[in-house]
Amino acid sequence: MAGDLPTYYFRIRENGAVVFKVDTENRQRRIEMEEIAVVNVKNGNIKPHGDRALAADERAEIEAWLQERIAVLAARDLDDILRAVDHMNLTTQWAQSKATDAQLEQVTDRLLLAMHDLRTVLVRKKADRLMKDENKAAE
């Protein structure tokens, strides 16, 4: 079992992770985890635990995990949005074919406001991208 364990364990938190060094090479053959750092995914900060100074290989391992975690979270964000598009289509089908008047009354205003807000943001962002592209073409 000891050979299968990674050298580092990352306990995921909302904004990153707590990093532990895994040790199984002790007299009791127990798994010991020493907290070595805290990582913040949003700003990229790596803060050593207590007075500990991170070794170069530890920092490299943490930075590699950080880059991988950022990529995983970005992919999840995109997947969530694509699922939202699917859900909007399912909601449209529900409203057209299954919803009762009472159900539509309950959700219509909230849906219309959310869709209006989303449309406003998307149109503004699209216009910004088009203007940026036109400026690049003019240069």
Side-chain angles (χ1 to χ4, degrees):
M1 178 177 159
D4 298 333
L5 294 175
T7 306
Y8 300 97
Y9 170 70
F10 295 83
R11 181 195 298 154
I12 304 298
R13 310 180 348 167
E14 189 169 326
N15 291 330
V18 177
V19 185
F20 294 89
K21 190 165 192 168
V22 178
D23 178 22
T24 57
E25 302 300 321
N26 55 62
R27 289 172 45 179
Q28 296 86 13
R29 293 194 171 266
R30 292 184 180 169
I31 298 171
E32 294 180 5
M33 297 192 325
E34 175 191 1
E35 183 176 340
I36 63 170
V38 175
V39 183
N40 186 316
V41 172
K42 293 188 187 241
N43 62 19
N45 285 348
I46 299 170
K47 183 179 172 189
H49 181 70
D51 295 342
R52 188 183 212 316
L54 294 174
D57 62 326
E58 292 172 331
R59 183 166 288 280
E61 187 80 24
I62 293 169
E63 288 173 355
W65 176 88
L66 179 59
Q67 294 310 310
E68 182 181 328
R69 184 69 179 167
I70 289 169
V72 165
L73 293 175
R76 284 183 185 170
D77 282 347
L78 187 55
D79 186 56
D80 287 347
I81 299 306
L82 294 172
R83 286 174 192 252
V85 171
D86 288 350
H87 211 83
M88 287 174 63
N89 284 313
L90 293 170
T91 302
T92 302
Q93 186 61 34
W94 169 82
Q96 185 175 20
S97 62
K98 296 179 185 176
T100 66
D101 288 345
Q103 289 171 325
L104 288 171
E105 188 62 36
Q106 190 175 3
V107 300
T108 297
D109 289 343
R110 285 190 274 177
L111 279 170
L112 287 173
L113 287 171
M115 290 185 316
H116 174 72
D117 186 28
L118 177 60
R119 183 182 185 283
T120 301
V121 169
L122 291 175
V123 167
R124 181 173 18 93
K125 293 286 194 169
K126 177 102 178 180
D128 290 348
R129 287 192 314 274
L130 290 173
M131 292 297 290
K132 194 182 299 181
D133 290 346
E134 284 180 15
N135 290 340
K136 283 183 182 177
E139 290 176 355

